[in-house]
Amino acid sequence: MKNKYKVIIIFAVAAILGGVLAFGFGIMENYPEYDIFLQAFSGVAGVALGYYLSVALNKPETKNDYTFSAFFALCFSGTIIAVRKFIQFFIDFYTGSNLLHCEFVEDSHWLYRIFGFGMSPDAQRPLLDTDEDFTVSILFSLISTGVLYLYGRVKNKSLFIKAEKKEKLRFKSIPSRSQARIECEIEKMKSDCSIWDFLLWWCTRAVMLYAFITMENRAEATLLLANLVATFAITLVHFILPKNSVLTNVSYKAQSLITIIVFLGSWCGNFVGVYFITPRFDLFLHLVSGYLCVMGGYYVALTLFKPDSKKKVLLISLFALFFSFFIMPFWEVSEFIGDFIWGTSNQGFYWGPTDDSFFFKVFGHGVGNTQLYYLFDTFYDMLLAVVTTIVTFIGLYICLYVKVKTKPAERAEVSTEKEKIPSCC
């Protein structure tokens, strides 16, 4: 435990020292690449801190425990990334500083040197530093999580399949194994979902396929096709990945959550044009996304833990909360990349705030600077998702806590029955 505290202190001192060097000694101004190093460090530090928080709540002893700790650390790091950017945004807004480096980027920027200029308009340039920070931090968070996950697997001596098991698999018929896998997944799908889930999936896919065929704007149609493929995400994961991996145990209910957000955003928003008819529809969509992401994190957590104790209820609820926070910067980066390639405006960088904007009514006008206006839509979207994320987290924790406290015996019987259904998976 003492070593863990030492690591946390080292990261804290390094973070403070990095900030002092950046702003106190002006290294950031003379060497702009230093900012990329800070973002990479924050990704690694966030994963490390998230891991130690997970260990403090639940000491990892099994393969599932180490896997959960790795996922927990990744989502915690994403939460740190999002919260840090919120703090910088509001400091810039109220003091007129420029912590977000919200300014027009020169043509010599590394992104343009590597990927070209795409169809990105000049109005997107003030967003570049923020999305660059998100990308670098998330990338190094993923790398750190991968190392942490491999460490847990090696420590549990379960990284590789045993040799004798491989020998047995050689003599099995590949077609028969594939057929058994398909039958198993179909049974699991039936046990996880109701008829309403199936209707939601296939009706959404049908209308989106029609929209893809009939859309005149082929750039938007390409994005819509990518969203259509996303409605098969959970199914593809279950069939492509090894059957004993974590993600192949995610409930098919998660596919309904993805389908809802894709239907509302891609079909209703872009194809039907609700975004243009009712601009506030985007606000509604981000409010809904907070709830959907928390529930998605809940289904992922259930693959490793069952809410059969108060400690596990807290762990699962916190994981769902951090999972939703991790999705926020990840989502904004994906919108930025789409806008950069296809010249669309998913991040709303054309949006100009007015005096009657809801944002100004709540937070006032601040001091800010005009370049900061380009980031209003990005942070406003994230802020709305934060509201429903926190509300859903509280509701989820209360519901799980009440179930654990009142019906432990009944819940244990139900979980035992569910484990018997998809035994081949």
Side-chain angles (χ1 to χ4, degrees):
M1 185 63 72
K2 291 182 179 179
N3 291 331
K4 295 172 185 176
Y5 287 133
K6 287 180 181 178
V7 172
I8 293 174
I9 292 172
I10 290 172
F11 274 119
V13 172
I16 294 171
L17 181 62
V20 171
L21 291 173
F23 300 106
F25 292 89
I27 292 181
M28 190 80 76
E29 296 179 3
N30 297 323
Y31 301 96
E33 294 80 7
Y34 181 72
D35 183 49
I36 297 179
F37 164 76
L38 286 180
Q39 303 309 320
F41 173 79
S42 70
V44 176
V47 169
L49 295 175
Y51 173 73
Y52 287 122
L53 175 60
S54 174
V55 170
L57 294 172
N58 181 71
K59 185 178 180 180
E61 297 177 350
T62 66
K63 180 179 71 174
N64 279 2
D65 290 341
Y66 275 101
T67 304
F68 181 84
S69 295
F71 275 100
F72 188 95
L74 174 64
C75 294
F76 180 82
S77 180
T79 303
I80 295 298
I81 295 168
V83 171
R84 181 164 50 86
K85 283 299 175 182
F86 272 122
I87 293 172
Q88 290 179 340
F89 175 81
F90 281 105
I91 290 176
D92 287 350
F93 181 73
Y94 284 116
T95 67
S97 58
N98 195 20
L99 297 175
L100 289 172
H101 304 101
C102 187
E103 56 193 16
F104 282 99
V105 179
E106 299 295 330
D107 292 350
S108 59
H109 191 275
W110 67 268
L111 182 76
Y112 297 130
R113 291 202 303 265
I114 296 175
F115 299 103
F117 291 89
M119 296 175 66
S120 174
D122 287 340
Q124 195 183 15
R125 294 196 180 201
L127 295 169
L128 182 59
D129 185 78
T130 296
D131 286 283
E132 177 188 71
D133 291 349
F134 279 153
T135 303
V136 173
S137 299
I138 290 173
L139 177 62
F140 277 84
S141 295
L142 290 170
I143 294 172
S144 304
T145 302
V147 173
L148 190 62
Y149 176 74
L150 291 176
Y151 165 77
R153 296 298 296 268
V154 170
K155 190 171 183 178
N156 279 273
K157 299 178 182 179
S158 58
L159 181 62
F160 304 104
I161 300 174
K162 293 181 180 179
E164 59 270 18
K165 192 171 183 180
K166 283 186 174 180
E167 291 296 329
K168 290 179 181 179
L169 290 177
R170 289 180 184 175
F171 297 98
K172 288 189 176 182
S173 169
I174 294 178
S176 63
R177 281 193 287 134
S178 300
Q179 183 178 357
R181 180 74 180 272
I182 293 172
E183 292 174 355
C184 175
E185 291 299 335
I186 291 174
E187 288 301 316
K188 182 172 175 56
M189 197 179 296
K190 290 179 179 178
S191 65
D192 287 348
C193 305
S194 66
I195 185 64
W196 301 109
D197 291 296
F198 292 108
L199 286 173
L200 172 66
W201 298 350
W202 291 106
C203 288
T204 299
R205 290 163 183 168
V207 297
M208 290 191 68
L209 181 60
Y210 171 78
F212 170 72
I213 295 172
T214 58
M215 281 186 76
E216 295 182 0
N217 187 331
R218 299 319 295 171
E220 293 286 353
T222 304
L223 285 174
L224 189 140
L225 181 62
N227 288 319
L228 172 59
V229 174
T231 64
F232 291 92
I234 302 300
T235 303
L236 292 173
V237 164
H238 275 257
F239 280 97
I240 294 175
L241 294 182
K243 66 180 182 180
N244 59 346
S245 67
V246 175
L247 295 179
T248 52
N249 292 318
V250 175
S251 172
Y252 279 97
K253 277 285 185 182
Q255 189 158 284
S256 296
L257 302 179
I258 297 174
T259 303
I260 290 172
I261 197 69
V262 165
F263 174 76
L264 291 175
S266 185
W267 192 80
C268 294
N270 288 327
F271 178 69
V272 178
V274 180
Y275 279 135
F276 306 101
I277 300 171
T278 308
R280 293 186 182 275
F281 179 74
D282 183 55
L283 308 183
F284 164 74
L285 192 60
H286 283 279
L287 283 170
V288 172
S289 69
Y291 165 78
L292 296 176
C293 289
V294 171
M295 295 308 298
Y298 168 65
Y299 287 129
V300 172
L302 286 182
T303 64
L304 297 167
F305 279 130
K306 300 299 178 186
D308 52 8
S309 67
K310 294 178 182 178
K311 182 182 289 187
K312 288 185 178 180
V313 164
L314 178 60
L315 271 171
I316 290 172
S317 301
L318 283 175
F319 178 86
L321 172 69
F322 295 151
F323 181 84
S324 183
F325 270 98
F326 174 78
I327 294 297
M328 292 176 199
F330 189 86
W331 183 271
E332 293 300 327
V333 168
S334 65
E335 286 189 337
F336 177 84
I337 293 173
D339 292 343
F340 181 82
I341 296 173
W342 288 290
T344 52
S345 182
N346 291 313
Q347 279 196 303
F349 47 79
Y350 291 124
W351 179 59
T354 58
D355 290 340
D356 59 347
S357 297
F358 184 75
F359 185 93
F360 286 142
K361 291 179 180 178
V362 176
F363 299 103
H365 286 268
V367 177
N369 59 64
T370 55
Q371 294 296 312
L372 199 63
Y373 287 168
Y374 292 100
L375 284 169
F376 274 19
D377 184 75
T378 295
F379 282 93
Y380 195 27
D381 291 346
M382 292 174 63
L383 192 63
L384 291 171
V386 166
V387 173
T388 46
T389 290
I390 294 175
V391 171
T392 308
F393 157 72
I394 295 172
L396 178 64
Y397 176 76
I398 292 173
C399 290
L400 294 178
Y401 184 85
V402 170
K403 284 184 178 181
V404 167
K405 191 175 181 181
T406 57
K407 299 180 180 180
E410 180 181 338
R411 193 187 62 260
E413 293 176 3
V414 172
S415 62
T416 303
E417 291 177 1
K418 285 187 175 180
E419 288 175 0
K420 292 179 181 180
I421 293 174
S423 57
C424 57
C425 295

